[in-house]
Each structure stands twice: as C-alpha cells, then as structure tokens.
Amino acid sequence: MKSNIYSKDILLVLAASFFYMASPMLVTPLITGFTESISSSAALMGIVGGMMNLCSLICRPFAGNLADKMSKYRVSLIGAILMSAACAGYIMAPNAVVVVVSRIVNGVGFACCSVCMATWMSNMLPKDKIGSGMGFYGTMNALAMAVAPAIGVSAYQMFGYRVSFFIALTFSVAIIIVIQFIRDKGKPENVSKSMDDEGVSGVSYNRPALSAKNRRRKRTIQLIDKKVVPIALIIMLFAIPYCATQSFLVTYAEVRNLDITVSMFFPSYAVVLIVLRLSLRNLFDKLPFRTFLMASSASLLLAIICLAEMRNNGMMLLASFFLAGGYGIMSSVCQSTAILLAGKEKRGLANSTYYIGLDLGMALGPMIGGVLYGQLDIALFYPALLMAVPLVGAVYAVAGKGLREK
C-alpha cells in the first residue's frame, strides 16, 4: 500500500479531504449574510466571518500534536463530528449567539480535519512521491474550494440559507462515513517503534529506559516547528492576495463597473489548477523548492497585474490562470516541503505550522482588502497587493539557506 499512490486507502483519504474542505467553504460566502438576516450588526457580521479561521488558527498547534500522538482516524473523526455539530447549529440558529458558538465549533473541527488528513495522506506516501501525492491532495482541496461555494450560493438563491447549510452538513457526515473504510488508521510512528524496542511487559530489552528528561521532552506540546516557519510565512504571503480577491472581487467589479462574469473566475481557477497539478505531478518530486518559488512568484505578479488591468472576461480568465500558477501551485509545494523538513515523526506538527501560515493569510487577506478598499482609490487596490511578491523574496533571502540545503 505504501508504495502505491493510487491505493484504496489513499483514494478514500482524498475523498474525505474533499468533503472536509467543501463543508466550510460552502458556508463561508453565506454566513455573513445569514448573520445579517437574523438581525445582527455589521460589526458582528465581520466577527462571524473571521471567527472560524481565527479559532482554527489557535487550535492548529494542538491538533498537530494530537496528530503525532493519536491515530489520524480518531482525530479526524472528532473533527468531522464537530463540523457536523456546527452545521446543525447553523441550520437551527435562532440568533447570532448560536451562530458564533457554531463558528467556534466549526473552527476546532476544521483544524483537526485539515491537519490530520494531510498528515494521514503524507504517511501513506513513499518519500519520493510526497510532492506528487500532496499535489493530488491539494487538487482535491482546490476543487472543493471552487465547487462548494457555487453549490452553496445556488442552493441559497433557490431555497434559502438553511437548505444550503444542510448540504454542508451532508458533506461533514460524508467524512465520518468515508473514513470508516480506511484500513490504515494512521497510528503514530512512536507506537510502532516502541513495540519494536519493548517486550511484552512494556520494558525495553534492547536499550535503557528513557531518562526522565527525555520522557518529559516527548510529552511536551510544541506549538510550531521552527524549521517550517519560513514555509508558513511564504504561503501566508501568497494567500493574502488570493483571499483578498476571494472576498472583494465581486465588489471590485461592481465599483469599477466592469463588464465581466465574476462567477466564472473561481471555477476557471480550479480547472486550471487541476490541469497544472496533473501536468506537473512528476516534477514536484524532482525540481528544487526555489524553482517553484520563482515561477509561482512571477505567476502571482502577473495575476495581480491582470486583475489591476482587467476590463473583460478574457483578462479575468487570464488572471485566474496566473493565480492558479501562483498561489495554487505554491500551496502544494509549501505543504510537501514542510513535511520533508520536519521528518516523519513530526509531520502533524509540520502540517499545523504550515496551516498556521495559511490561516493567517486567509484571515489577513480580507482584512487587508477591507483596509485597501476603505482607504485607497479602488484603482490602487491590486497595485497595493503587489507588495506581497517582494516580501516573499525577502523571506526566502533570509531563510533560503536552510531551504536550499534541504
């Protein structure tokens, strides 16, 4: 199984990863409007919109430690149950308080699922296939991020908010069902190693017992993996322009009176990303990190320029193409690089550190976009976001030596 990238277990994890991403992504474009519909203030709408990512950001280090110490199946199951409970809360919410609590629960569940699914997947892959394998994993996430909002908005327009939330609940329940059929439960690495070193009584016969200091060190909860911090900063900087676009593209087009079909942008992005990841799948494990970083930085630069100069659908679709080559490709490259930097016993922590950077980008993108929208002329919205590209270069220049050595 471990040598086959198309094994049944891997395919099931990919399916579960689609569902865990689809559930909150379906809710995201609707939750602020739903909060307003139950008589909430504009300030509370903003809090509700960012609450899930903020909670997820806080919980990820703990989820990463759990992923390294418990079976991936168990932590993913806990996450899926919490996400299902959150969706049920949205459906039945009589007021904003229930919505806020549900967003917090959703954030905890999302943190558990996102870290565990990625770690579970990476542990099933041979080391020389981690890049391509995590590329497929990222493709499923990208597909969910494009398809789920379209499903949610369409269901809302036809049937209302609560029917859309019921579809999100269905996605969360699907996670619970799918992971039941995965044979490899993703037990932590140290369990199998301790079984090799210890006798039936649990006493080691091959080496002296661990010192009290080492035992305390193994029990210590690490919040981040220092080696992965530069990767987290890089993906944060790539995510900021993407998430600002995700939140403000509709408003940007309306304010500038652009004759474009905004609904085509993210499905186009997803299609291009899938094609790119499938086309480059063999190169993910062969080319060095800096090659992808340079190409994706140039692609992100072109995407932002296209968005700034956008006047028609052709330019918009070109922007989606370059954005897929920028943020879309780097999200997979950064995640697989984080996994390789950390080592197998710390892949959960590596994934949680990577997702901290991604969460920061997802939270800061809309916030920075809001500041730019409110304080600058709309024509300067995207030129201001160009600052993300040189900042990526600065992070790599400072931390690049360690990355180049790896």
Side-chain angles (χ1 to χ4, degrees):
M1 180 194 66
K2 288 183 179 292
S3 63
N4 183 9
I5 198 172
Y6 302 108
S7 71
K8 176 185 174 183
D9 279 2
I10 286 178
L11 294 177
L12 288 172
V13 172
L14 288 173
S17 71
F18 172 86
F19 291 127
Y20 99 74
M21 184 62 75
S23 179
M25 289 302 106
L26 188 151
V27 173
T28 296
L30 303 176
I31 196 65
T32 53
F34 174 68
T35 306
E36 184 181 32
S37 73
I38 53 177
S39 303
S40 298
S41 65
L44 188 57
M45 289 168 61
I47 292 172
V48 167
M51 181 65 71
M52 191 194 85
N53 284 330
L54 179 61
C55 185
S56 180
L57 172 65
I58 295 170
C59 293
R60 282 201 196 279
F62 303 100
N65 279 273
L66 284 176
D68 288 328
K69 296 176 181 179
M70 295 174 59
S71 74
K72 313 303 179 289
Y73 163 79
R74 183 175 297 180
V75 181
S76 296
L77 180 62
I78 292 170
I81 290 172
L82 290 175
M83 290 174 68
S84 299
C87 292
Y90 301 144
I91 294 169
M92 298 182 292
N95 54 53
V97 174
V98 177
V99 177
V100 170
V101 172
S102 298
R103 292 297 278 171
I104 294 171
V105 172
N106 206 337
V108 177
F110 183 69
C112 290
C113 283
S114 57
V115 172
C116 265
M117 293 289 179
T119 309
W120 205 353
M121 175 78 177
S122 67
N123 284 350
M124 293 180 184
L125 296 167
K127 189 173 181 179
D128 62 342
K129 295 293 183 182
I130 284 179
S132 55
M134 295 310 293
F136 282 118
Y137 177 86
T139 300
M140 296 305 291
N141 283 182
L143 187 63
M145 290 175 72
V147 171
I151 293 173
V153 171
S154 297
Y156 156 68
Q157 290 173 342
M158 290 187 287
F159 305 109
Y161 287 111
R162 297 182 196 269
V163 172
S164 295
F165 297 151
F166 181 80
I167 298 172
L169 172 61
T170 304
F171 286 145
S172 296
V173 172
I175 305 169
I176 299 173
I177 296 171
V178 168
I179 63 176
Q180 304 305 315
F181 298 96
I182 301 175
R183 291 174 299 170
D184 181 351
K185 300 302 181 184
K187 293 181 179 179
E189 287 295 309
N190 56 0
V191 171
S192 58
K193 288 187 177 182
S194 64
M195 291 176 64
D196 291 337
D197 292 337
E198 296 176 3
V200 176
S201 64
V203 179
S204 175
Y205 294 101
N206 296 329
R207 61 183 181 183
L210 289 173
S211 67
K213 182 179 180 180
N214 286 339
R215 286 198 300 270
R216 285 196 301 271
R217 186 178 297 166
K218 291 192 77 172
R219 288 196 296 266
T220 301
I221 294 178
Q222 292 180 266
L223 297 180
I224 59 172
D225 189 320
K226 293 181 181 179
K227 291 178 289 187
V228 181
V229 169
I231 300 295
L233 291 174
I234 288 171
I235 194 57
M236 178 192 77
L237 291 168
F238 271 90
I240 286 172
Y242 173 83
C243 294
T245 299
Q246 189 179 47
S247 298
F248 284 92
L249 184 60
V250 173
T251 305
Y252 177 83
E254 289 176 351
V255 171
R256 300 204 70 182
N257 295 314
L258 300 178
D259 185 20
I260 60 174
T261 309
V262 177
S263 60
M264 294 171 56
F265 184 85
F266 288 103
S268 171
Y269 164 88
V271 170
V272 173
L273 181 56
I274 290 170
V275 171
L276 284 175
R277 281 179 171 163
L278 292 177
S279 301
L280 300 174
R281 64 185 183 277
N282 294 325
L283 298 178
F284 286 132
D285 297 301
K286 297 178 181 178
L287 297 180
F289 177 80
R290 69 175 179 272
T291 300
F292 285 104
L293 182 68
M294 292 173 62
S296 292
S297 296
S299 191
L300 179 64
L301 180 68
L302 292 171
I304 296 174
I305 291 173
C306 287
L307 287 165
E309 299 298 323
M310 180 171 55
R311 298 293 184 274
N312 51 51
N313 285 330
M315 188 65 80
M316 182 191 72
L317 294 177
L318 191 61
S320 72
F321 173 85
F322 286 125
L323 194 60
Y327 167 75
I329 292 297
M330 280 308 292
S331 61
S332 291
V333 172
C334 284
Q335 188 167 25
S336 58
T337 303
I339 290 167
L340 291 171
L341 285 171
K344 197 164 187 179
E345 291 186 11
K346 289 189 174 182
R347 285 181 180 175
L349 187 62
N351 273 308
S352 69
T353 306
Y354 161 82
Y355 278 115
I356 286 171
L358 187 61
D359 275 337
L360 281 171
M362 293 176 71
L364 289 173
M367 292 179 185
I368 291 172
V371 172
L372 296 177
Y373 177 72
Q375 301 298 322
L376 297 179
D377 185 278
I378 192 64
L380 298 176
F381 183 87
Y382 281 108
L385 289 173
L386 281 172
M387 281 300 299
V389 179
L391 288 175
V392 167
V395 171
Y396 184 73
V398 173
K401 182 179 178 181
L403 297 178
R404 285 193 292 272
E405 288 174 352
K406 291 292 181 179

